[in-house]
Amino acid sequence: MTKKRLLTGDRPTGPMHLGHYVGSIKNRVRLQDEYECYFIIADLHMLTTKNTPEDIFDIRTNAYEVAIANMACGLDPNRCTIYLQSAIHAVYEMNLFFGNLTSVPRLSRLPSIKDMARAAHLNEMPYGLLGYPVLQAADILMPRAHIVPVGKDNQAHVEITREIARRFNFQYGDVFPIPDYLVEGDTLVGTDGDAKMSKSIGNTIYLFDDAKTVGKKIKGMYTDPKRVHANIPGTVEGNPVFSYHDHFNPNTAEVDDLKRRYREGAVGDVEVKEKLTIAINNFLDPIRERRVEIEADSGYVEQVIYEGTMRTNQIAEETLMMMKKAMGLTGVWNKISRKGRKRLDKQQKAAAAADGAQL
Ligand code: TRP
């Protein structure tokens, strides 16, 4: 039996952090055997809010960082496909066709789009940013994906993708499966206690931070602000230090003991943080080592992206042809080009004959 296709991915905006691991990478590693997986490095989506020449130059390192982070965490490039969105020409065309199958009011209502415009300090909505979900629909429908793991902020985009796929199938004939979304992992709080770890807020621990940097960041972490002394009972729930212990410390007996003593006012923040630093560095060590191994083979990551992009291009061209056939566009061009070509041939033959006669 052929496997169902899965597509998901990230914008290449910077190095990957623990929030990415908890929110998505962990799930991907788990799903890679069950599905035929496509991982997009969505640089065209990044352009909707970041598009200066400097931003574009940075895609080189950021795309590499996205790929190596996923690989170091366990994505196996022999079993899945990692590709660069901007190198898939068919997606640009699909984006245009799909733009006709949804409406401006439908897109304008999406909170995610308004949030992105606000975060990028844009006074007016760019046409491209409004079309962000349409472009995402093109990504998802390009390999005719069945399942799309996404975070909460992207669920509405998969909803739109489903509407567009239904609309296309109804209007032109069945080409696309209607993709389902899969709710991704947990949202990791930031080191500052903010709801979400995010590079733009600056509350991150990166997957490739060295052990000392991790220690420093954890030392500065937000905990229970009421606890000015170690003997004041503290709150564990919603406390980022304990949230990280839950995610990254496999020694549950140690974590339970720390929580109990924290609630009783019988442990200092320092001990809780020191143990967390050890746990997170233990978690990150094999990921760091894997990166060193991967990079010992110079050009390997680039080859993975190159081969993945070539593979994806084939499927994209195949789907685009299916779409154009279903729409009747290939028929239009075939008819015009056949007749036009025929007349041009005739003219060229006549000209050649006239040349011959003159000699
Ligand atoms: N929108 C995703 C993000 O927030 C990136 C992305 C682009 C994506 N195309 C996709 C995710 C297709 C899942 C499927 O970064």
Side-chain angles (χ1 to χ4, degrees):
M1 214 194 75
T2 55
K3 286 181 182 174
K4 288 196 168 179
R5 288 182 181 164
L6 174 153
L7 186 136
T8 189
D10 312 277
R11 278 168 291 174
T13 51
M16 307 288 270
H17 51 64
L18 289 177
H20 291 122
Y21 180 82
V22 169
S24 51
I25 300 177
K26 189 177 172 185
N27 258 303
R28 295 174 188 173
V29 174
R30 190 172 54 81
L31 293 167
Q32 64 180 338
D33 287 317
E34 203 177 322
Y35 296 97
E36 181 184 324
C37 290
Y38 292 83
F39 298 107
I40 181 175
I41 302 171
D43 54 345
L44 295 178
H45 275 100
M46 189 198 85
L47 295 185
T48 62
T49 53
K50 287 171 62 122
N51 47 38
T52 67
E54 294 77 24
D55 294 331
I56 294 168
F57 185 82
D58 287 345
I59 295 172
R60 297 169 195 209
T61 37
N62 292 340
Y64 180 95
E65 283 302 317
V66 168
I68 200 164
N70 278 284
M71 286 158 66
C73 290
L75 274 203
D76 177 2
N78 294 313
R79 281 182 285 167
C80 67
T81 296
I82 302 176
Y83 73 97
L84 183 68
Q85 182 187 29
S86 65
I88 309 294
H89 305 279
V91 160
Y92 299 66
E93 294 188 48
M94 292 178 189
N95 181 46
L96 187 137
F97 296 137
F98 292 145
N100 300 321
L101 304 180
T102 187
S103 75
V104 171
R106 174 75 176 93
L107 297 167
S108 309
R109 278 196 297 271
L110 293 172
S112 55
I113 302 300
K114 289 186 236 173
D115 289 347
M116 282 190 273
R118 206 174 307 118
H121 308 291
L122 300 167
N123 304 321
E124 289 183 319
M125 179 60 70
Y127 174 60
L129 181 54
L130 185 67
Y132 187 111
V134 180
L135 182 59
Q136 194 163 345
D139 297 331
I140 295 165
L141 299 178
M142 175 271 294
R144 284 160 275 139
H146 301 91
I147 188 139
V148 189
V150 282
K152 278 203 186 65
D153 47 345
N154 267 256
Q155 280 172 22
H157 303 172
V158 183
E159 263 321 313
I160 294 211
T161 304
R162 290 166 61 87
E163 289 165 21
I164 288 175
R166 274 198 215 99
R167 196 90 198 255
F168 187 98
N169 289 348
F170 176 75
Q171 199 157 303
Y172 305 118
D174 268 330
V175 169
F176 300 111
I178 308 303
D180 279 315
Y181 62 72
L182 197 80
V183 182
E184 280 198 316
D186 305 327
T187 307
L188 191 67
V189 297
T191 52
D192 60 351
D194 191 277
K196 195 174 172 182
M197 184 176 279
S198 157
K199 185 175 70 105
S200 55
I201 307 175
N203 58 7
T204 52
I205 294 174
Y206 293 111
L207 295 175
F208 299 113
D209 274 344
D210 58 36
K212 235 172 115 187
T213 307
V214 169
K216 228 188 280 162
K217 286 183 176 177
I218 291 175
K219 215 178 229 172
M221 266 181 84
Y222 176 92
T223 58
D224 182 342
K226 295 189 305 295
R227 258 181 122 241
V228 286
H229 282 294
N231 57 6
I232 299 173
T235 309
V236 164
E237 286 69 32
N239 189 327
V241 180
F242 284 101
S243 166
Y244 288 15
H245 265 296
D246 285 336
H247 277 109
F248 300 106
N249 191 344
N251 186 348
T252 50
E254 178 177 280
V255 176
D256 288 345
D257 173 62
L258 287 173
K259 284 181 180 172
R260 184 184 51 76
R261 288 196 285 139
Y262 199 80
R263 289 192 179 104
E264 289 169 1
V267 64
D269 276 18
V270 173
E271 184 184 339
V272 178
K273 286 180 171 179
E274 273 170 8
K275 293 206 159 122
L276 180 61
T277 302
I278 292 167
I280 290 192
N281 277 324
N282 283 342
F283 168 78
L284 290 177
D285 270 339
I287 297 172
R288 295 176 182 128
E289 280 162 26
R290 188 80 194 98
R291 179 178 184 134
V292 173
E293 277 169 34
I294 293 169
E295 291 191 327
D297 189 359
S298 167
Y300 178 63
V301 175
E302 286 85 349
Q303 187 189 345
V304 164
I305 302 173
Y306 173 74
E307 290 188 335
T309 304
M310 292 320 230
R311 260 197 315 274
T312 305
N313 233 329
Q314 273 180 4
I315 295 165
E317 291 300 333
E318 186 183 291
T319 304
L320 182 62
M321 195 42 77
M322 288 164 75
M323 286 173 65
K324 286 187 172 173
K325 271 199 185 129
M327 293 169 76
L329 269 177
T330 40
V332 174
W333 177 241
N334 283 347
K335 181 146 185 260
I336 289 177
S337 62
R338 207 180 311 119
K339 277 192 141 175
R341 181 80 233 169
K342 209 163 149 190
R343 184 154 187 280
L344 185 63
D345 282 350
K346 227 155 94 188
Q347 277 179 345
Q348 283 170 343
K349 264 192 205 131
D355 275 356
Q358 265 174 18
L359 286 176

